[in-house]
Amino acid sequence: MIVCWILLALSLAACTSEEAPPQETTTARPKPVETQPLSAVQPKPAETQPLSAVQPTEPPLLPASSEPPTKPSAANEAVTEPVLIRLDEEPQLHSPIATVVTPAPQAYTLFFREAMDRASVEQALARRAAERAREEERAVVPHFAFKWVNDRQLHLTVTIPEADTPDTAGRSYLLDVNGATTAAGTQLQDPPTFTAVVHAPPQIWRISADGKERERIYAFDKPYVSFESLGGDNRYLLLGRYQKYCECDADYEMLYALFDMQEKRLIPYPVPLTTTYMGAGTFYADKRGFFYKGPGTDEQKPTGETVVKVQTDGYVHGANFSKDHAYLIMAVGTEGQEGDFDLVIRRLATGEEQRIRQALRGGAPYSEVSTGRIPVSFDDDGRYVYFQMRDKNAYKELRYKYSWETKTVTTWTPPVPAEAWASFTSSSDGVYQLYTNGGLYKGTQQVDGQPSFGCWLNGTHAFVYHDYDRQAPDTSRYKEQIRLYDADRRTTRTLAAKLYQDTSLIGTSPDGKWIYVKSYADLNMPPRP
């Protein structure tokens, strides 16, 4: 299937501070943002730990020790640029970078290569933030609180004015020490900077299938932006937050976490994760529904009862789990191969494989955004595994299906045009199919051309989908809707209206009674003007 992927990336290990009795100075203080963040314990992968609620009343400042004020830390000694600006809640995020933070007060540490004139650093930060606010319409002037550990290390707490509506990458601020001077009198010229793009942390809500009830399931304290449901029971969600951020089509890696909807627990991971694997034939699969892209150190190699080490002969050009997560379905060849891959079906419990040589006839899929290679993907409905390759001579798909009963591959002719995407989801009994850009079908008969995406309610012939109120003013931030379509009756009704921008569907409950939604606003509060 020809699809587009856009994700975002970057990384560095945390540094340990050696701190001294601090000296604090502050700038004029605006009204602090009201927040209720959750403090997360970060376990090893495959473990789960509960999150406890914390409500700070003042911006958090790191504690100081009795180290002498002139003694640099090991982190300072490792700095090669004039300054390294690190976000303390996620030390992988450091200058030079533009990344996403929440509106809550943020703690940073600045590590300098040389001893600095402290007053000049504080003045530079304030001056450059104000200059950026004059240059950029969406930039804000933050409040800074300074605590110096020594002349080469500064703890900085940043607070911004409260917004009228939840932030969704609309505001930003700059951390820049350009023009500051060292203790020896040298002025810093164009040092690395940290641009913080402000994004409200998401919440998970559930809405009853009749639209009468709404309940908040969880409120995160970090700015996760991508949510992907793993498996048919929707118990686990794969979350992603930006490392590098830009308003562009760049393919950056994210920082990932697993969220357990049943236990309401968050599990951060130190390595990249994916739900469709492409890479070397030796890799790790987690039976909950995701893959490790490639742990870099022995300490980062995953362990746990849900983790399986996979070793298959060749390079994997795409791998997905079967519907019951008991098998892996893989396109395998050599690393530089451009198509005509082998189909490999691997039983996770035993490692037993079935290999059908060159079953994936055609060219490998490419991104329509970056022109780079993307993985072959597989969709399993329990009877057949559906997959597509690219026609090398025309803009269309070559479509195939693998039968679990006969263990053979045959061509597949869905009822959508050759130039359309053949990917689809089915009602729980398989009577209806909703194609990605082909509309709703009952077998080969088209029922409705729109919508083309939705989440089915188990045990029914109804699905829910995201829509917009086209009668709402263009300037309104509250014009999104969740609607339900009954395929038997051909009727549509609105379950939730006037939702805040960037609201999105996550999935539905196994009993078909609830719809899960990601939102950046309280769904029980009336829209703000």
Side-chain angles (χ1 to χ4, degrees):
M1 179 177 66
I2 305 171
V3 294
C4 309
W5 292 90
I6 305 175
L7 290 173
L8 303 181
L10 178 77
S11 222
L12 172 85
C15 304
T16 303
S17 305
E18 299 183 20
E19 302 183 353
Q23 299 177 3
E24 178 175 1
T25 58
T26 63
T27 59
R29 183 189 189 94
K31 182 180 178 181
V33 183
E34 296 179 3
T35 60
Q36 291 184 329
L38 302 172
S39 59
V41 177
Q42 298 193 11
K44 297 178 181 179
E47 298 177 352
T48 56
Q49 298 291 338
L51 303 179
S52 56
V54 179
Q55 185 176 8
T57 56
E58 292 294 327
L61 290 170
L62 301 183
S65 69
S66 58
E67 291 290 336
T70 56
K71 182 179 179 180
S73 70
N76 286 104
E77 300 300 336
V79 173
T80 57
E81 296 287 345
V83 67
L84 185 143
I85 305 171
R86 184 191 74 188
L87 179 64
D88 288 344
E89 65 94 356
E90 184 50 76
Q92 296 183 74
L93 303 179
H94 64 90
S95 61
I97 198 172
T99 192
V100 171
V101 301
T102 71
Q106 298 294 324
Y108 299 87
T109 300
L110 281 69
F111 300 95
F112 293 95
R113 186 172 59 192
E114 300 181 45
M116 299 298 297
D117 179 303
R118 300 185 182 188
S120 74
V121 170
E122 297 175 12
Q123 292 164 7
L125 284 163
R127 182 185 69 255
R128 289 295 296 127
E131 290 173 352
R132 173 59 63 89
R134 289 193 296 269
E135 297 165 356
E136 299 283 346
E137 181 181 358
R138 296 186 296 178
V140 297
V141 178
H143 159 262
F144 295 132
F146 306 97
K147 282 202 170 183
W148 287 90
V149 177
N150 53 61
D151 289 343
R152 293 176 60 186
Q153 189 170 324
L154 167 65
H155 289 314
L156 175 68
T157 302
V158 179
T159 307
I160 61 174
E162 182 178 2
D164 294 332
T165 56
D167 287 288
T168 52
R171 299 190 297 165
S172 67
Y173 57 86
L174 176 69
L175 302 181
D176 183 7
V177 295
N178 188 48
T181 57
T182 67
T186 303
Q187 188 175 75
L188 302 187
Q189 298 293 330
D190 298 321
T193 64
F194 191 112
T195 299
V197 179
V198 183
H199 204 299
Q203 305 169 26
I204 297 177
W205 288 74
R206 69 176 188 173
I207 301 172
S208 60
D210 60 8
K212 295 180 180 179
E213 297 179 59
R214 302 180 186 184
E215 178 186 351
R216 183 163 61 189
I217 300 297
Y218 201 80
F220 296 92
D221 67 339
K222 295 185 180 181
Y224 294 106
V225 293
S226 68
F227 283 60
E228 189 169 0
S229 180
L230 306 177
D233 62 359
N234 286 321
R235 173 175 177 176
Y236 295 103
L237 300 177
L238 182 62
L239 312 184
R241 64 180 285 188
Y242 295 127
Q243 293 199 48
K244 277 190 173 182
Y245 174 85
C246 75
E247 296 178 358
C248 63
D249 292 333
D251 187 15
Y252 295 132
E253 191 60 83
M254 284 189 166
L255 297 174
Y256 295 95
L258 191 70
F259 182 68
D260 186 333
M261 292 274 283
Q262 181 175 306
E263 301 293 335
K264 296 183 175 58
R265 293 175 182 175
L266 186 70
I267 312 163
Y269 279 78
V271 295
L273 307 177
T274 181
T275 55
T276 301
Y277 177 78
M278 183 168 70
T282 299
F283 59 98
Y284 292 87
D286 191 299
K287 290 182 287 187
R288 288 171 291 185
F290 61 91
F291 302 93
Y292 298 78
K293 284 191 177 179
T297 66
D298 289 339
E299 291 76 15
Q300 291 177 326
K301 282 185 169 57
T303 59
E305 62 182 16
T306 61
V307 177
V308 177
K309 184 177 182 179
V310 179
Q311 291 180 294
T312 193
D313 184 16
Y315 185 88
V316 179
H317 291 269
N320 289 109
F321 288 88
S322 61
K323 184 178 181 179
D324 60 6
H325 289 199
Y327 294 85
L328 291 186
I329 308 154
M330 299 180 281
V332 180
T334 60
E335 184 169 356
Q337 194 170 328
E338 289 292 324
D340 299 337
F341 305 125
D342 296 347
L343 177 67
V344 176
I345 309 293
R346 183 184 180 94
R347 189 181 187 90
L348 285 170
T350 64
E352 177 187 2
E353 290 186 349
Q354 177 194 9
R355 183 180 292 251
I356 304 176
R357 300 286 179 183
Q358 296 188 334
L360 288 82
R361 293 283 184 177
Y366 277 81
S367 168
E368 295 179 359
V369 176
S370 65
T371 70
R373 281 283 305 278
I374 58 176
V376 177
S377 61
F378 301 90
D379 297 305
D380 178 22
D381 68 359
R383 295 176 60 218
Y384 297 100
V385 177
Y386 301 91
F387 52 96
Q388 303 84 36
M389 296 293 284
R390 178 175 50 86
D391 190 316
K392 298 177 183 179
N393 301 313
Y395 186 78
K396 64 180 183 179
E397 295 178 334
L398 301 176
R399 298 155 176 173
Y400 306 94
K401 63 181 180 181
Y402 170 85
S403 169
W404 288 108
E405 181 180 358
T406 65
K407 301 187 183 304
T408 59
V409 173
T410 58
T411 57
W412 168 46
T413 307
V416 296
E419 62 273 11
W421 292 343
S423 178
F424 68 91
T425 59
S426 296
S427 57
S428 55
D429 60 6
V431 171
Y432 290 95
Q433 299 79 40
L434 185 61
Y435 286 85
T436 303
N437 64 349
L440 178 66
Y441 283 76
K442 186 176 184 179
T444 60
Q445 182 67 38
Q446 187 176 45
V447 174
D448 197 331
Q450 295 293 334
S452 58
F453 174 79
C455 297
W456 291 94
L457 293 173
N458 283 342
T460 76
H461 288 161
F463 62 85
V464 290
Y465 64 98
H466 176 274
D467 200 6
Y468 296 92
D469 180 359
R470 287 157 180 79
Q471 304 302 316
D474 291 341
T475 56
S476 174
R477 296 187 178 186
Y478 293 88
K479 55 185 177 183
E480 303 194 13
Q481 303 175 329
I482 301 298
R483 309 191 77 192
L484 180 144
Y485 183 90
D486 188 315
D488 290 334
R489 295 181 175 86
R490 315 289 199 266
T491 58
T492 302
R493 58 190 175 93
T494 300
L495 300 182
K498 296 184 178 180
L499 302 179
Y500 191 66
Q501 65 185 22
D502 294 335
T503 297
S504 61
L505 282 169
I506 296 174
T508 59
S509 62
D511 61 9
K513 295 181 179 180
W514 295 96
I515 299 123
Y516 299 114
V517 172
K518 178 192 74 174
S519 177
Y520 296 103
D522 189 330
L523 298 188
N524 286 327
M525 296 294 291
R528 295 188 181 184

